[in-house]
Amino acid sequence: MSAALKSSSGSGGGTRHFLELMDLDPASLRHMLELGKRAKRGEISGKPLDGKTVAMIFELPSTRTRVSFEVGIRQMGGESLVLTAKEIQLNRGESVKDTARVLSRYVDAIMLRTADVTNIREMAQYATVPVINGLTNISHPCQLMADVMTFEEHRGPIAGQVVAWTGDGNNVAQSFIQAAARFGFTLRMATPDLLKPPAELVAWARREGARIELTDDPVAAVAGARAVVTDCWISMSDEKTAATQNRHNMLLPYQVNGALMRHAAPDAIVMHCLPAHRGEEITDEVMDGAASAVLDQAENRLHAQKALLTWLLGRGGDAE
Ligand code: CP
Ligand code: NVA
């Protein structure tokens, strides 16, 4: 089994983790999503994280993930510690295993953003508290919870709807594939041949019953779609290796602009996890246009993660 599909133990060893959408069953994810909607309506009462501390380790930069987790934890009565990889001993070669075991003695949950998915798997293997994936080189499940929530707020139930992705088959794209399997939407993904998502992930999603359509033609992907989604052309974990000029040339035809949007459904929304590179993967016209849901996505990170933390740590977070 390839690295991309190696089991990442959603709740192995009795501790509940949030590592990949594929680890969790549709009912638990749906329950969490509905909790997120309730959090947004102000219906998560009391301080479910009272007395709890969450450590957040960032090996890579972040605006939304960091701030939405910190604010959400505070709103729920908990405390957070932000640790950049540079300032902890991980940076001097202390193992992930030892870091996981030590932090588990101090805190109630660990969130990790890492350029190497094996780090988060190792963290979850050795931590005795829940571990949350705050983005890896191959996934960004917290983003997808907010994105599905955003779609449903704007356009109703996502099951059976057509969502189009255009651009790089990157970490967010790969979480979209997992989300299509878990939430039952059709995903049409247009990428250059060289930047396709991993074949084994697509095969897994199809085995799970997902409709995943791959193409290299962005117009074919967005035709009639209810949502058009894109992301940056060079992800943080690719910065050292991607040949920038080649990437840009390869991806320019996949830009989300006014001309491409004319092929989507008339009421299609546009989604981007942010940060955006305006003028590259998305134009100002689309980013700031009436169809843009990007700020709702950013806001919904807060509500979806409050739901996630309630599910992992709080009282009353269990699926019925
Ligand atoms: N979308 C997202 O995860 O943004 P940050 O990198 O700012 O956290
Ligand atoms: N694909 C992007 C997402 C940023 C939230 C990256 O990994 O840099």
Side-chain angles (χ1 to χ4, degrees), residues 51-192:
K52 310 265 188 201
T53 303
V54 180
M56 300 196 280
I57 305 173
F58 287 95
E59 284 181 6
L60 298 166
S62 168
T63 298
R64 281 143 287 267
T65 304
R66 174 178 173 166
V67 178
S68 58
F69 265 114
E70 282 207 76
V71 170
I73 291 164
R74 248 177 251 184
Q75 288 178 353
M76 293 197 295
E79 305 268 355
S80 59
L81 290 173
V82 172
L83 308 165
T84 65
K86 277 199 191 93
E87 66 202 357
I88 58 176
Q89 299 284 10
L90 258 182
N91 191 43
R92 291 183 56 249
E94 184 167 21
S95 67
V96 174
K97 171 178 170 174
D98 289 342
T99 305
R101 295 192 302 176
V102 169
L103 288 181
S104 297
R105 299 289 179 104
Y106 302 133
V107 302
D108 299 285
I110 301 167
M111 195 233 71
L112 176 62
R113 169 169 284 199
T114 174
D116 180 355
V117 68
T118 60
N119 288 338
I120 200 155
R121 290 178 184 152
E122 203 176 329
M123 189 70 82
Q125 187 181 349
Y126 293 105
T128 53
V129 297
V131 173
I132 299 168
N133 178 347
L135 179 148
T136 73
N137 54 318
I138 64 160
S139 54
H140 196 2
C142 289
Q143 183 66 50
L144 261 291
M145 295 306 287
D147 290 357
V148 173
M149 181 173 161
T150 304
F151 181 94
E152 296 202 337
E153 260 176 14
H154 283 261
R155 294 291 173 262
I158 199 167
Q161 300 284 349
V162 176
V163 173
W165 174 279
T166 170
D168 183 15
N170 65 12
N171 46 2
V172 178
Q174 292 176 50
S175 282
F176 258 95
I177 291 172
Q178 297 189 35
R182 289 296 177 252
F183 290 102
F185 58 89
T186 295
L187 182 63
R188 287 206 211 118
M189 188 166 276
T191 65

Side-chain angles (χ1 to χ4, degrees), residues 64 240 246 275:
R64 281 143 287 267
K240 290 196 187 108
N246 280 354

Side-chain angles (χ1 to χ4, degrees), residues 266-287:
D267 66 348
I269 59 166
V270 173
M271 299 206 290
H272 189 310
C273 63
L274 305 180
H277 300 73
R278 289 166 175 262
E280 294 186 6
E281 74 273 6
I282 190 164
T283 58
D284 284 334
E285 169 196 18
V286 173
M287 181 91 175

